[in-house]
Amino acid sequence: MGSVTDVAVKKLPCLPEGTFAQKKPTVVFVLGGPGSGKGTQCAKIVQHFGFAHISTGDLLRDESRSGSETGNMIESIMKEGKMVPAEVTIKLLQKAMQESGNDKLLIDGFPRNEENRAAYEAVIKIEPKLVLFLDCSEEEMERRLLNRNQGRLDDNIETMRKRFKVFKESTLPVIEYYNSKGKVRKIDAGKPAEEVFEDIKTIFTSISQVKHCFCVIL
């Protein structure tokens, strides 16, 4: 019997030939723990460098509020601070990428685990140009999450700490995988937001000068 990842991937159709994957988009993954500032920094990158911002967390939260059967399942999983199954996340991500109308995409909060990564590579097949890792201490992330008070269902202390644990156990191995391929650009995200963005600007200025910076996984 195949692994959970194998089963998830088999359920998903690959992007059709001649469509989005062949338009040679530049894809950047943005990873960091909950409260590391991914949304804040992505907004600045969009403004300065013309990327479209796709937050998988927002996609999942929007679906969870839809009242659909899938949305109810997502809400239950998020309350536990756990990972949503890859087939659900990939389906939402695939649709958002195709509808973005942009050939430069920031994919925020993805891939969160090895299952996500394997499903993305099998289905969407667009290798990221780089992985931006916003590195921040757990203490600082917790302080930020408690202060932002956005009424999100996943922003209470108990769930927060579950999310930190999941990040360390599931997402850090993904970062290590991409680091082994020379893709990771690590930023000290514990600094004030403007200082963090100054570091990010250096990275994005260099990649924006490179034409056709993508690779399709065959």
Side-chain angles (χ1 to χ4, degrees):
M1 181 179 293
S3 67
V4 173
T5 299
D6 293 335
V7 172
V9 170
K10 287 175 184 176
K11 292 180 181 178
L12 295 162
C14 291
L15 289 173
E17 291 295 324
T19 56
F20 184 73
Q22 292 192 335
K23 292 180 182 178
K24 305 181 179 179
T26 298
V27 171
V28 174
F29 292 154
V30 182
L31 291 173
S36 60
K38 296 186 298 296
T40 297
Q41 297 305 327
C42 283
K44 292 177 182 296
I45 294 166
V46 168
Q47 181 181 357
H48 285 79
F49 295 101
F51 278 71
H53 176 208
I54 299 174
S55 165
T56 55
D58 287 348
L59 293 176
L60 292 168
R61 280 186 285 273
D62 288 346
E63 185 66 24
S64 76
R65 290 190 287 265
S66 70
S68 68
E69 183 178 350
T70 299
N72 292 335
M73 178 268 290
I74 291 170
E75 182 175 2
S76 177
I77 291 171
M78 289 176 71
K79 282 180 179 177
E80 290 295 316
K82 296 178 180 177
M83 295 284 187
V84 174
E87 63 266 28
V88 175
T89 304
I90 289 287
K91 183 177 179 181
L92 294 173
L93 175 60
Q94 190 177 54
K95 183 172 184 285
M97 291 174 73
Q98 290 174 308
E99 293 178 351
S100 68
N102 198 323
D103 63 357
K104 298 190 296 183
L105 301 173
L106 284 178
I107 302 182
D108 168 4
F110 181 90
R112 290 177 184 255
N113 57 19
E114 284 293 313
E115 183 181 354
N116 280 178
R117 181 187 65 75
Y120 176 90
E121 291 182 355
V123 175
I124 297 178
K125 301 185 178 183
I126 305 169
E127 187 172 339
K129 172 62 181 173
L130 62 87
V131 177
L132 183 65
F133 173 30
L134 300 182
D135 188 27
C136 192
S137 71
E138 195 167 304
E139 292 76 18
E140 175 63 14
M141 290 190 290
E142 184 171 307
R143 184 190 68 78
R144 292 175 182 178
L145 290 173
L146 290 173
N147 285 343
R148 73 185 183 186
N149 190 27
Q150 293 179 348
R152 281 170 38 173
L153 60 89
D154 51 351
D155 273 359
N156 61 74
I157 290 177
E158 182 181 354
T159 300
M160 219 182 286
R161 290 176 179 166
K162 288 179 182 177
R163 290 170 67 205
F164 292 148
K165 184 173 185 288
V166 168
F167 175 75
K168 286 189 285 189
E169 292 178 353
S170 299
T171 308
L172 283 180
V174 174
I175 294 169
E176 290 166 4
Y177 166 82
Y178 283 116
N179 192 46
S180 72
K181 300 182 72 173
K183 297 279 186 183
V184 173
R185 302 294 181 271
K186 181 177 173 181
I187 296 291
D188 177 3
K191 299 186 293 186
E194 289 301 327
E195 292 181 29
V196 174
F197 187 60
E198 285 303 311
D199 294 338
I200 290 173
K201 276 168 67 176
T202 302
I203 295 168
F204 276 79
T205 298
S206 65
I207 69 168
S208 66
Q209 295 168 350
V210 179
K211 303 284 187 181
H212 307 302
C213 47
F214 80 104
C215 178
V216 176
I217 303 171
L218 300 176

